[in-house]
Amino acid sequence: MNDKFSRILDESIERLIKGETIESCLEEYPNDREQLEPLLNTAQLISSIPKVSVSEKYSRVSKARLIARIRRESVQAREAETRSGIGLFDELGLAWHRMWQSILGAKKVAIPVALALILALVLSVSGLLNHLSTTPALASQCTLTILSGNVDVQMPGSNAEKTGTDGMTLNIGTRVKTAPGSHAVLTFFEGSTVKLEPETEIEIQQIEYDNEQPTAIVLKQWLGRTWSRVVKMADPGSHYQIETPSATAIVRGTLFTTEVEATGTTKVATTEGLVSVVAQGDEVYLPACQQTQVDAGEVPSQPQPVPISRSEIIITFDMPATGSVTDPTGSSTGILPSGFYFNQIPESQSFLTAEDRQQINISEPMTGEYIIALRYLSEGQAHFNILGASDGNVVFNYTGNWGAFQEHGWLIHLGIHAESGRIISGEVTSAEPLGEETPEDIVEAPLAGGKASKIMTQDSDTNSTADVDKGKPEDKGKPEDEDNTGDKGKPEDKGKPEDEDNTENKGKPEDKGKPEDKGKPDKAKDENNTGNKGKPEDKGKPEDEDNTGDKGKPNKPEDEDATGNKSKPENKGKPKDKDKPPYWFS
Amino acid sequence: MDNKRNNIARRKTLTANKPENVRQTDIIILVEKAIEGNVEAFGELYGIFLDRIYRYVFYQVRDRMTAEDITEEVFIKAWNAISSCKGKEKTFSAWLYRIAHNRVIDIFRSREKEQLIEMDPVAEAGSTELEVETEIDHRELLDSIAELPPNQKQVIILKYIEGLDNREIERIMGKKQGAIRILQMRALARLRERLNGGAEEK
């Protein structure tokens, strides 16, 4: 019976595929109509699922990458075969044994808890061999950003700790330690960032690049919690490796947290991408939203789902606005109009939705003020929505339309009260035009030249050291390579529709202007969730209740100090209509 | 003969490399060349099958970055084992799907055996617009497909997502057509039941 009906079903499906209707199929088998119809409907429904496919750009680049990888591995395999004495696996085993012993040895001496984060960009078996057999050029290209509080640094060869300064360059061997309540970010020359939570201690063990291509970044995490955003490079086989005395984790370009407890336990959780954790010969894979725990000397625990966040802030806004969120610790997640993407807030995400809206998710927000910065790629009005939810219930919901001229923007202040991971209340307390001072404290790390340049700071460069790169205008606004294609902001690639970078700013101008307008617009509060509280003015003629004094003054050139770290080039955005204020809200 | 092969390889570079646009004989020639160590020919095969393998993987893992990683590994594994295709060039496509299937299973072996990643809103974050749209519009359906037993899920993805016919599915899964029809019927019945259940709950 089963076989007979399955044959009828299959034949009917084949007819559907050829273009016949369900009804005509049913007429053929009237006795089976009742059983057949729902299944054919289901089959038709499944067939309606849009078929995803890779972009032409990804196809082209990944093909070149694959061929390069195959060729390189072939060459290395031949080299390995011709080596005398030690076979491939013997050598691997020997290297592994040496590495293992060094880690174990270090543990015996002083490391109750040690986590080496090896960002091995040329890795896999061949990458490891390559690394062992060559001496890549060394560089010290890591920039410290102090988001809040105090950070101590211990220079290589020194036993004394000194106070770290925002923007200083850190050399290999430097230890960085965040004080209680303090937050900091390390930005590497290839764009990866590691956010240090309070009471976290980390050491830069190795930073290597060869011919301007990163080859390895090795960190040792002694204690505390870090949030890593690892840029996936175009290099074939590029992935990353985390090692501890008891485990090795292979990391692809991804977002993940690493926590090292005083007991020696290491916890790894993936937010995006894929992480592989190996310990004592056992391997577990952590796709997005999975976590594992590795106790010293033990195998990794079976992956478990990361507990669902009890609360979340979801912010969306339409083009022409792009934006970011800065949390009470000073950490920011979002994107600049230049396409520069950053993610410093643990477990946060920023991406572009199908409707071409930018969405930022903040998981389990803390009590304090969140600042949302909107920047306009062109003159226009952007619909926004700020929603807070706890345990599946909406706690607050603001929505409205904000307008501004190109290269201007808004700062929206959102006060959050949270307890035990839940949002108790949330309120948009004020909104103001984006001025000279921007909330984000981020470092752009263009790969070319291997130098990191500070492009935005909350304060002036008074804290900067002589080591800080003093701003490279030509480097500003280079988009990161989030789509793993290796196209690091090549102008010709901007705006190509096939680009898969979900956060990429397609063909958008650089963020070159910060308006001086400090006028206060209407508050965006919408406690009734009804939408616009402001007057639904004509979009072309924005209301200007508080900004009257600022009309026609959006175009003053900003800081033209070419040596400064601030990214404040001349404002090139000239409003077309001088009678129109640079901002409006409805 | 060599000239002919070179011409085919060159032509593929210039035209859309979709399996439906490529003759089986051309694929066989490219496979033969790849077996001989021709990396460029393998690159052509990559261009031809990338989309399909990526799609096959994506609808199981439902995360763009993971799907890209797995897809790349599938082709690396295929290259490393390409000599095993000697004499079986016709079934290269099925062989590639099998590698992909095994790789997906490997990736998630550390979870419950053959139980793949379930959809989670966060996993969408790296997706392309179409992928996000797909997830939003068809989340319930995709969730239901994800919960199918592995064999049933494989049939559904191969037939309705990949658009393969029963003979191709037979080659990939190594099962007879009768068994595939049964799997298809059970999968559709189960999906209908789940979707109805979901509708009733709402």
Side-chain angles (χ1 to χ4, degrees), chain A residues 17-29:
Chain A
I17 291 170
K18 286 173 184 164
E20 289 191 37
T21 64
I22 289 179
E23 193 53 42
S24 68
C25 294
L26 295 174
E27 283 170 6
E28 186 78 18
Y29 305 103

Side-chain angles (χ1 to χ4, degrees), chain A residues 7-324:
Chain A
R7 192 182 293 271
I8 291 172
L9 174 66
D10 195 56
E11 283 172 9
S12 300
I13 288 168
E14 292 301 325
R15 292 171 64 172
L16 282 182
I17 291 170
K18 286 173 184 164
E20 289 191 37
T21 64
I22 289 179
E23 193 53 42
S24 68
C25 294
L26 295 174
E27 283 170 6
E28 186 78 18
Y29 305 103
N31 294 337
D32 296 299
R33 184 184 188 99
E34 193 179 341
Q35 198 180 355
L36 196 55
E37 186 173 12
L39 300 191
L40 292 181
N41 282 325
T42 304
Q44 205 165 49
L45 184 66
I46 301 168
S47 299
S48 71
I49 296 173
K51 309 297 183 287
V52 300
S53 64
V54 297
S55 67
E56 284 295 324
K57 182 179 175 185
Y58 174 79
S59 175
R60 193 173 60 248
V61 175
S62 65
K63 180 177 162 184
R65 195 169 59 183
L66 180 87
I67 290 175
R69 180 175 169 183
I70 287 172
R71 285 190 168 137
R72 196 178 63 181
E73 290 186 357
S74 298
V75 169
Q76 286 166 346
R78 279 199 297 273
E79 285 175 358
E81 283 171 10
T82 55
R83 281 193 195 108
S84 59
I86 304 174
L88 172 67
F89 291 101
D90 288 339
E91 182 169 344
L92 251 184
L94 193 62
W96 184 256
H97 181 71
R98 268 196 232 113
M99 194 182 304
W100 190 253
Q101 288 304 311
S102 66
I103 292 169
L104 290 177
K107 181 189 174 191
K108 284 174 190 167
V109 176
I111 315 173
V113 181
L115 176 68
L117 168 61
I118 302 180
L119 307 182
L121 297 163
V122 179
L123 206 116
S124 71
V125 169
S126 58
L128 180 58
L129 284 173
N130 191 41
H131 166 65
L132 293 172
S133 60
T134 60
T135 309
L138 298 179
S140 54
Q141 301 298 339
C142 174
T143 305
L144 171 67
T145 301
I146 300 174
L147 299 172
S148 55
N150 298 309
V151 175
D152 288 333
V153 293
Q154 187 177 334
M155 295 305 184
S158 167
N159 291 324
E161 291 180 350
K162 69 173 190 176
T163 303
T165 55
D166 186 41
M168 72 187 298
T169 294
L170 304 178
N171 294 316
I172 295 164
T174 304
R175 278 197 193 196
V176 183
K177 194 166 139 185
T178 50
S182 302
H183 298 259
V185 172
L186 304 185
T187 305
F188 298 96
F189 63 98
E190 41 67 82
S192 295
T193 56
V194 178
K195 158 84 187 298
L196 278 61
E197 297 279 89
E199 298 181 77
T200 294
E201 191 169 355
I202 208 164
E203 181 179 333
I204 302 164
Q205 291 211 318
Q206 194 176 346
I207 304 176
E208 294 182 356
Y209 71 94
D210 190 13
N211 197 23
E212 296 187 349
Q213 290 299 312
T215 55
I217 299 171
V218 181
L219 303 180
K220 180 171 283 186
Q221 185 173 330
W222 301 79
L223 193 65
R225 189 166 184 263
T226 58
W227 163 248
S228 299
R229 173 181 172 265
V230 180
V231 176
K232 187 177 177 184
M233 307 304 295
D235 197 298
S238 66
H239 47 276
Y240 306 82
Q241 192 166 308
I242 299 175
E243 293 196 2
T244 76
S246 56
T248 298
I250 297 170
V251 184
R252 313 301 295 243
T254 186
L255 295 169
F256 68 102
T257 54
T258 307
E259 189 170 357
V260 181
E261 298 176 349
T263 58
T265 297
T266 298
K267 294 176 181 171
V268 180
T270 308
T271 297
E272 265 182 36
L274 187 65
V275 179
S276 160
V277 179
V278 180
Q280 306 295 320
D282 270 20
E283 182 174 24
V284 297
Y285 287 95
L286 302 178
C289 306
Q290 292 282 304
Q291 62 180 3
T292 188
Q293 176 172 316
V294 186
D295 296 323
E298 301 292 330
V299 298
S301 66
Q302 283 304 296
Q304 299 291 325
V306 174
I308 295 170
S309 300
R310 296 199 66 182
S311 62
E312 193 168 39
I313 300 175
I314 301 171
I315 300 159
T316 56
F317 33 88
D318 289 335
M319 290 295 175
T322 63
S324 71

Side-chain angles (χ1 to χ4, degrees), chain B residues 53-99:
Chain B
I53 297 300
Y54 170 80
R55 196 160 50 218
Y56 178 72
V57 173
F58 174 80
Y59 281 104
Q60 300 196 59
V61 302
R62 293 163 73 186
D63 177 75
R64 179 177 65 92
M65 197 178 282
T66 306
E68 286 175 3
D69 288 344
I70 294 173
T71 303
E72 185 169 315
E73 292 305 319
V74 166
F75 282 96
I76 289 293
K77 273 184 178 290
W79 169 256
N80 289 334
I82 191 72
S83 58
S84 67
C85 282
K86 197 167 180 64
K88 298 180 248 176
E89 292 85 357
K90 283 182 186 173
T91 57
F92 176 77
S93 166
W95 179 68
L96 209 53
Y97 275 111
R98 280 201 297 276
I99 294 176

Side-chain angles (χ1 to χ4, degrees), chain B residues 96-171:
Chain B
L96 209 53
Y97 275 111
R98 280 201 297 276
I99 294 176
H101 184 71
N102 291 337
R103 188 61 185 149
V104 169
I105 297 299
D106 283 347
I107 289 289
F108 298 103
R109 184 174 284 160
S110 53
R111 301 184 66 192
E112 282 184 58
K113 194 175 181 184
E114 294 195 348
Q115 183 178 336
L116 304 185
I117 182 173
E118 290 181 12
M119 186 55 203
D120 187 290
V122 179
E124 295 175 19
S127 302
T128 63
E129 291 172 23
L130 176 59
E131 287 157 6
V132 172
E133 190 181 345
T134 303
E135 294 290 359
I136 290 170
D137 294 344
H138 298 86
R139 176 172 296 182
E140 191 179 355
L141 179 57
L142 289 168
D143 284 347
S144 300
I145 293 172
E147 289 168 6
L148 289 173
N151 279 343
Q152 292 181 19
K153 179 163 51 186
Q154 198 178 5
V155 169
I156 292 296
I157 291 175
L158 289 173
K159 183 148 189 172
Y160 296 95
I161 306 289
E162 296 289 75
L164 302 184
D165 62 30
N166 286 2
R167 277 183 72 182
E168 289 171 291
I169 297 172
E170 181 184 4
R171 282 197 207 108

Side-chain angles (χ1 to χ4, degrees), chain A residues 476-551:
Chain A
K476 288 170 185 171
K478 282 189 179 178
E480 295 231 356
D481 184 22
E482 285 296 300
D483 62 352
N484 314 325
T485 60
D487 287 324
K488 291 277 170 186
K490 290 178 182 175
E492 63 273 22
D493 287 332
K494 285 183 181 178
K496 283 187 179 177
E498 69 271 27
D499 199 306
E500 285 200 340
D501 185 347
N502 60 336
T503 58
E504 184 166 18
N505 167 15
K506 294 171 181 174
K508 303 302 186 301
E510 293 188 358
D511 179 26
K512 288 190 174 178
K514 309 280 186 305
E516 291 186 332
D517 190 335
K518 296 280 184 182
K520 304 281 182 189
D522 288 345
K523 287 183 181 179
K525 189 161 185 176
D526 180 21
E527 290 176 338
N528 296 326
N529 305 335
T530 54
N532 301 343
K533 280 269 178 177
K535 295 172 185 175
E537 296 288 325
D538 181 321
K539 291 181 182 180
K541 292 183 178 180
E543 66 178 309
D544 178 33
E545 292 184 359
D546 299 317
N547 297 338
T548 50
D550 298 312
K551 284 185 179 180

